[in-house]
Amino acid sequence: MLAALLCAFAVAAPVAKVPEKKTVSLSPHLTELVYAAGAGDHLVGVSEGSNYPPAAGALPQVGSGVTPNVERIALLGPDVILAWGYKNSKDLYPALRKLNIPMHYQAPASLDSIIDDIEELGTLFGTQAAAGNTVRDLRQILNAMRQRYQNAAKIKTFILVSQEPLYTLGAGSFVIDALHACGAESVFTTLSAPAPIVSREQLLLAQPQAVLFAAKNISRQRNILGRYFSSMGLPLQPDQLLGMDPDIVFRPADRLIRKLPGLCDDIDRIRQRLAPAASESPLPPPRHLPSMSPRKDAAGA
């Protein structure tokens, strides 16, 4: 009878639910990575500018990565704070450290590290299955592009951050890694500063075959830049001006990798027009790449 009672209790007793680890993100790209890892439900606050996926817009904002709102973060009571930086970034956010809340730092500088960070977040929040699905999709896309364009004629590309002054990106940027995956390269490979300024004379000497720029209205900005570069002696054709949404190209998140096949196609069209004999494509385009739209589970929908 005692054994029967114990068995009945075991069946009737509810299984204890493992408490979810609550978090806030201090960067829009970290917000995106959390959703990509299938852990959007763990977010209780996000940084200013966190506009993707749409669900992030409904969450409380906790200031920016530069000036986080310590009081609001304390009220939200996260179990961990996601911050931009490296694992040894002990001197960052001194005010937040007074809350005695663990800090988890990420600063992906390559496409591979973006994928690694998603996997890491899946482990942190116990969403390994969803994160694993995203990771497999992204690695398939990235490996396919690298394989297809590994022997391609290099297209010299200028990454335009701003016009006046002419800001670009240094060699250690994930954006340059994206160019490399497409068989392109930065015209300023020797610049190591994160966001160096270059002169018009330097740009003229570099003779870029393409310009990668960021804009919300890509068509309008392409027309403006066409006139701008022509005025300095760089008559670039419209197809040589490659525009992307700034929230995608300048955020180290999964959307950049998902957009990679389109960027690579645009670069390859330039390659075929400028140097058809040296143009690549010994390999056909991959037939079955993962969807370019965000995964349902990754977007928290």
Side-chain angles (χ1 to χ4, degrees), residues 21-98:
K21 186 177 291 185
K22 297 186 297 181
T23 188
V24 298
S25 70
L26 300 185
S27 169
H29 90 272
L30 287 168
T31 301
E32 293 198 27
L33 292 182
V34 172
Y35 279 99
D41 290 343
H42 294 253
L43 281 165
V44 295
V46 296
S47 68
E48 296 172 0
S50 292
N51 55 4
Y52 189 88
L59 293 172
Q61 292 193 354
V62 295
S64 70
V66 178
T67 56
N69 189 320
V70 179
E71 292 77 12
R72 179 166 291 184
I73 291 172
L75 287 173
L76 292 171
D79 301 298
V80 62
I81 297 171
L82 302 179
W84 183 93
Y86 300 95
K87 292 178 175 62
N88 60 350
S89 303
K90 296 180 180 179
D91 296 329
L92 293 177
Y93 308 108
L96 281 179
R97 290 191 169 277
K98 294 179 182 178

Side-chain angles (χ1 to χ4, degrees), residues 126-205:
T127 57
Q128 291 93 333
N133 289 335
T134 301
V135 163
R136 281 189 293 274
D137 284 357
L138 298 179
R139 284 190 174 141
Q140 183 180 350
I141 294 169
L142 182 54
N143 291 338
M145 294 301 100
R146 285 173 171 167
Q147 182 179 12
R148 184 181 178 199
Y149 295 104
Q150 61 183 342
N151 297 317
K154 303 301 180 188
I155 295 299
K156 298 188 299 178
T157 306
F158 174 60
I159 302 171
L160 175 65
V161 177
S162 73
Q163 290 175 234
E164 301 295 343
L166 276 170
Y167 271 100
T168 188
L169 294 177
S173 168
F174 58 89
V175 182
I176 290 179
D177 194 28
L179 290 180
H180 290 166
C182 297
E185 62 183 6
S186 169
V187 291
F188 295 112
T189 56
T190 59
L191 300 179
S192 58
I197 297 176
V198 297
S199 66
R200 291 190 174 201
E201 291 74 17
Q202 286 176 297
L203 189 56
L204 278 169
L205 287 173

